[in-house]
Amino acid sequence: MKLEIDPHGREPSYLQLAALLRAAIQAGEIAPRDPVPSITYLVGETGLAIGTVRKAIGVLVDEGLVYTVPGRGTFVAGTRPD
Amino acid sequence: MKLEIDPHGREPSYLQLAALLRAAIQAGEIAPRDPVPSITYLVGETGLAIGTVRKAIGVLVDEGLVYTVPGRGTFVAGTRPD
DNA sequence: CTGTATTTGTTCGTATGTATT
DNA sequence: AAATACATACGAACAAATACA
């Protein structure tokens, strides 16, 4: 997964990252119930601060596209609730 | 408006603050289109950090109960969209 | 059962940018 | 120009839940 963020882009970094992850999920690159890259991993890949990555994940959680399980990770939501 | 947060309570501080503000709004203590106390004011009143206060406001924004206008403030939403 | 590692959750603090008054 | 207020982004610490050796 390519994760290129332009810190000087028109869109805020956290929205750019959210969009990239959203696109990957909707393209089927991550299957339902499969884990999204961890926050720590995303920090390393993107060069963003941990708070910024958290905010991006939060956007997708709010959209219902992913869900998080403390201590385990963040996962792609299924089409129907579990 | 009384804004007592228990930092050691069962609920996170930002949810406690969100609940207090929500209650005040629903009790009619702040009328639609009237401003909610500013983030800076709430920081001073509650003793919480600015990020925590912002998170509480964010909860109410997500609920559609209030809306924010940069440079002006945060306001109670009307029953119908403007 | 213990200890360690991983991951998310909460909270704090600071700086800079943008918008309004 | 200055003050006020929200937005974004950075960094750090600790807690809680989970997994595993």
Side-chain angles (χ1 to χ4, degrees):
Chain A
M1 193 189 317
K2 207 175 305 181
L3 290 173
E4 291 182 13
I5 306 292
D6 175 12
H8 302 90
R10 303 157 196 77
E11 267 204 328
S13 300
Y14 78 94
L15 288 180
Q16 289 183 48
L17 176 55
L20 288 174
L21 294 172
R22 188 187 304 111
I25 291 167
Q26 290 175 340
E29 295 177 29
I30 313 173
R33 293 177 179 65
D34 273 1
V36 168
S38 77
I39 291 177
T40 306
Y41 173 86
L42 290 172
V43 167
E45 279 295 302
T46 62
L48 297 175
I50 188 170
T52 305
V53 172
R54 280 190 190 292
K55 193 161 182 178
I57 300 290
V59 169
L60 302 181
V61 170
D62 286 348
E63 291 174 356
L65 207 59
V66 305
Y67 60 95
T68 65
V69 181
R72 288 190 53 207
T74 301
F75 305 87
V76 175
T79 50
R80 290 187 286 186
D82 285 333
Chain B
M1 192 189 318
K2 208 176 302 179
L3 292 171
E4 292 182 13
I5 306 292
D6 175 12
H8 302 89
R10 306 156 195 78
E11 267 204 326
S13 301
Y14 78 94
L15 289 181
Q16 288 183 47
L17 175 55
L20 288 174
L21 293 172
R22 189 187 304 112
I25 291 166
Q26 290 175 341
E29 296 178 29
I30 314 174
R33 293 179 178 65
D34 274 359
V36 168
S38 76
I39 290 178
T40 306
Y41 173 84
L42 290 172
V43 166
E45 279 295 302
T46 61
L48 297 174
I50 187 171
T52 305
V53 172
R54 279 196 48 73
K55 195 163 182 178
I57 300 290
V59 169
L60 303 181
V61 170
D62 286 348
E63 291 174 356
L65 208 58
V66 304
Y67 61 94
T68 66
V69 182
R72 289 189 54 206
T74 301
F75 305 87
V76 174
T79 50
R80 292 187 284 185
D82 287 332

